[in-house]
Amino acid sequence: MCGGVEARQADKVWRIYFPNPKAAIPVQLKGSGQLDWIHWGRRKEEPGSSPHGGWARLGTVKAGGWDRYKPCRGFGMVERFMEKEGRLGDKNRPSHWFDVPQGYALECLIIGEGEQRRVYVVTTDPPEEYAWIHDRWPLLAELKTT
């Protein structure tokens, strides 16, 4: 379900983990060359009206379940993502890091404005060879160069 990401900014590599209330992801908005660090999701203890969590199931997005938030498409410009093995609440869950292929990014939804702006990573079924790790996987989007 992508519990962490690794991003690079100049010579600095950042490891960002969703549980951190200051977690943000570098996101490029569709149709824009601008890169913004956007707060990743919303934790249960955080105020606001955006959904709890940091992920959006692709099936729910396609069914219109996110339409009321008027999301914009974005691309999480990260080099790697982390999946935790097993279910939330399991103890000693091993972490597995996966490279994002060159020319790809995490498919994301951006909702809200100003300080309330949030990014949610779109998830889908895992590749068959990784289904044993987790039942949700970040959706990768190919970055088009024109």
Side-chain angles (χ1 to χ4, degrees):
M1 193 158 60
C2 187
V5 296
E6 188 175 279
R8 181 178 301 277
Q9 184 177 28
D11 291 336
K12 176 83 172 140
V13 175
W14 298 91
R15 277 209 173 161
I16 301 114
Y17 298 97
F18 178 76
N20 184 331
K22 294 183 180 180
I25 298 177
V27 178
Q28 181 178 346
L29 296 176
K30 183 179 179 188
S32 165
Q34 182 175 331
L35 190 69
D36 291 332
W37 284 79
I38 301 175
H39 191 83
W40 184 4
R42 186 166 73 92
R43 286 127 205 92
K44 290 181 181 175
E45 66 277 4
E46 289 182 296
S49 59
S50 58
H52 290 134
W55 309 274
R57 289 182 189 270
L58 180 60
T60 305
V61 173
K62 286 183 174 183
W66 283 77
D67 290 355
R68 65 182 160 158
Y69 301 108
K70 299 177 178 56
C72 296
R73 184 178 183 200
F75 305 103
M77 305 301 289
V78 302
E79 294 185 355
R80 301 184 338 145
F81 65 90
M82 185 266 298
E83 290 291 341
K84 281 275 202 192
E85 194 174 315
R87 300 267 181 233
L88 190 62
D90 291 351
K91 293 190 180 207
N92 302 319
R93 295 170 44 199
S95 298
H96 302 275
W97 286 90
F98 298 91
D99 293 333
V100 174
Q102 189 75 15
Y104 285 80
L106 301 182
E107 182 80 34
C108 295
L109 298 180
I110 296 100
I111 65 170
E113 294 181 13
E115 292 295 316
Q116 293 302 311
R117 190 163 69 155
R118 301 283 191 260
V119 61
Y120 292 82
V121 176
V122 177
T123 61
T124 189
D125 295 330
E128 189 174 318
E129 65 269 27
Y130 298 122
W132 60 273
I133 295 175
H134 204 283
D135 64 345
R136 291 173 70 179
W137 204 257
L139 181 62
L140 299 180
E142 185 174 8
L143 299 170
K144 307 286 185 196
T145 55
T146 54

